[in-house]
Amino acid sequence: MNIFIENMNTYLSGNRIKNSYISLLTGWDKSKVSRILSGEADLKMQDAETLANVLGKDVSFFLDESKIVSQHKDESEQFAFYAGHLEENDMKIAKDLLDMFRYYDSLVNLKL
């Protein structure tokens, strides 16, 4: 599964998808995502399927021996929103929404 992790990391880096976003999509702790993607934890097939599925791919996409090519977008693209005065729980929800919006474009506009 090493090629899976290497290709997954190349894909995430190339599309500027952070571990915190993967954590949001999978429901896993950030530490679990970090351990899996760094190779510290053994990757189970079920976890590989979950990772691939949340990115709209299947496991075979990340097992391809040819390296996945990075696709960096224009650095000038930015996104922000003003949410007014927020309580602590609202701040967490707003942060999660901002993370999701930040990576939404990368996930839906990927060139296959």
Side-chain angles (χ1 to χ4, degrees):
M1 285 290 188
N2 285 340
I3 191 70
F4 179 90
I5 295 298
E6 288 175 31
N7 284 338
M8 175 65 69
N9 284 319
T10 300
Y11 182 85
L12 295 175
S13 173
N15 290 290
R16 290 190 249 147
I17 300 172
K18 296 184 180 183
N19 290 4
S20 59
Y21 185 65
I22 299 300
S23 178
L24 276 173
L25 293 175
T26 59
W28 298 342
D29 289 335
K30 290 178 185 177
S31 61
K32 177 179 178 173
V33 174
S34 178
R35 284 192 317 271
I36 288 175
L37 294 178
S38 68
E40 292 176 19
D42 290 332
L43 180 65
K44 298 175 184 165
M45 188 57 161
Q46 182 179 5
D47 291 342
E49 288 173 351
T50 299
L51 284 170
N53 289 337
V54 298
L55 295 171
K57 308 290 182 194
D58 50 54
V59 174
S60 62
F61 178 83
F62 295 102
L63 290 175
D64 189 357
E65 289 295 323
S66 60
K67 292 284 184 190
I68 294 173
V69 179
S70 298
Q71 299 175 9
H72 286 288
K73 294 193 177 201
D74 182 7
E75 294 294 327
S76 66
E77 293 179 16
Q78 294 185 13
F79 179 82
F81 71 93
Y82 177 71
H85 177 69
L86 301 174
E87 300 296 325
E88 185 176 334
N89 189 41
D90 295 330
M91 289 289 286
K92 181 182 179 340
I93 292 169
K95 183 178 183 287
D96 290 348
L97 284 172
L98 184 57
D99 283 342
M100 289 173 62
F101 285 133
R102 184 174 292 137
Y103 303 111
Y104 178 80
D105 189 51
S106 294
L107 293 174
V108 297
N109 291 318
L110 296 175
K111 295 181 182 182
L112 303 176

